[in-house]
Amino acid sequence: MCQSCVVGNASILIHSQTEGTKMTISMYQASVPRLINALTNLSNVLQKAHDHMTEKKIDANAILHYRLYPDMLNFTRQIQIAADTAKGVVARLAGVDIPVNDDTETSIAELQERLAKTIAFIGSFKPEQIDGTEDKAIVTKRGDKETHYKGMQFLLGHAIPNVYFHSSMAFAILRTNGVVIGKRDYLGNP
C-alpha cells in the first residue's frame, strides 16, 4: 500500500511505509509500456468485435457509428482519440513531431491498422528519450485555447486518463452491442 508518493527529478518515487521498501518508476515506465498495453488490449477487443459482427451478421456501421448517448462521440472516434492521445503524449515528451492521421477509418480492420501503427510508433521510443521529462513544458492547443502543463502533469493528469476514458467508452459501446468481453479483456496482460 502506497503511503506517500514523492516526485523526484528523474522518476516517480513511491515509498511504502508498511513494507519499508522504495520503488522508482520512470517517466518511460509510466508511459510507453502502459500505453502499449492499453492500445494492444483495445486492438484485441476490436478483434472480438469483428468476430462477433461476423458471427451474428451485424453490419459494421451499426457499431462503428454507435454512440452511448446522442451528445457523445461514436465508437470510431473513441478509438481514434485513444490512439491520438497515446502517440501525442509520447511524442511531446520526447520532443518529436506527432504523426498525423486523416481520421478516415471506416472498418474495424482500418481501426486495428491505426492502433498497430500507433503501437509501433510508441514502441520505437527509448527510455532516454522520455526519462527526465517530468518538468518539461508541454503546451496543447484546441482551437484558440492553449493549455500549459509540466511533463508529469500532462502524462498522469491528462493523457493516461484520456486514453483509459476513450478505451472504456469503446469497450462500453461494444458491450452495449452484445460483444462478449469482460474486465480481463480490458486489462489484458499488464
Side-chain angles (χ1 to χ4, degrees):
M1 173 72 63
C2 176
Q3 302 258 336
S4 64
C5 297
V6 180
V7 176
N9 276 343
S11 62
I12 304 164
L13 179 63
I14 301 174
H15 176 70
S16 172
Q17 291 178 353
T18 56
E19 296 179 23
T21 60
K22 293 182 181 182
M23 177 178 69
T24 301
I25 302 173
S26 72
M27 287 288 284
Y28 176 86
Q29 291 169 324
S31 60
V32 172
R34 299 292 27 97
L35 295 167
I36 288 173
N37 181 255
L39 297 181
T40 299
N41 297 343
L42 195 52
S43 181
N44 292 339
V45 166
L46 283 177
Q47 184 58 51
K48 288 188 175 199
H50 176 267
D51 295 347
H52 173 80
M53 290 184 289
T54 301
E55 179 186 329
K56 304 288 184 186
K57 297 179 176 42
I58 297 171
D59 178 11
N61 286 320
I63 291 179
L64 293 171
H65 297 291
Y66 192 89
R67 300 167 185 260
L68 290 175
Y69 196 75
D71 67 351
M72 294 181 74
L73 297 173
N74 68 29
F75 180 79
T76 298
R77 284 299 294 145
Q78 302 292 349
I79 302 295
Q80 291 167 339
I81 293 170
D84 288 352
T85 302
K87 73 180 176 187
V89 66
V90 175
R92 284 181 176 100
L93 291 173
V96 302
D97 291 335
I98 303 168
V100 177
N101 295 78
D102 293 328
D103 296 338
T104 57
E105 292 85 6
T106 59
S107 70
I108 295 290
E110 289 174 357
L111 289 172
Q112 285 181 303
E113 182 179 326
R114 183 178 184 139
L115 290 173
K117 286 180 185 176
T118 304
I119 291 166
F121 174 74
I122 293 169
S124 72
F125 289 91
K126 305 291 181 227
E128 54 271 13
Q129 293 175 276
I130 307 295
D131 287 342
T133 59
E134 293 82 359
D135 294 321
K136 181 177 184 170
I138 305 284
V139 179
T140 62
K141 293 182 180 181
R142 189 173 192 119
D144 292 341
K145 183 181 179 191
E146 282 189 357
T147 306
H148 297 260
Y149 299 94
K150 295 291 185 184
M152 185 179 295
Q153 175 192 25
F154 184 64
L155 173 65
L156 299 178
H158 176 80
I160 288 180
N162 267 288
V163 170
Y164 290 144
F165 173 81
H166 291 287
S167 296
S168 295
M169 293 304 101
F171 189 93
I173 288 169
L174 294 178
R175 282 300 296 135
T176 299
N177 282 279
V179 178
V180 181
I181 49 178
K183 183 167 50 171
R184 179 51 49 203
D185 297 298
Y186 180 80
L187 297 175
N189 213 359

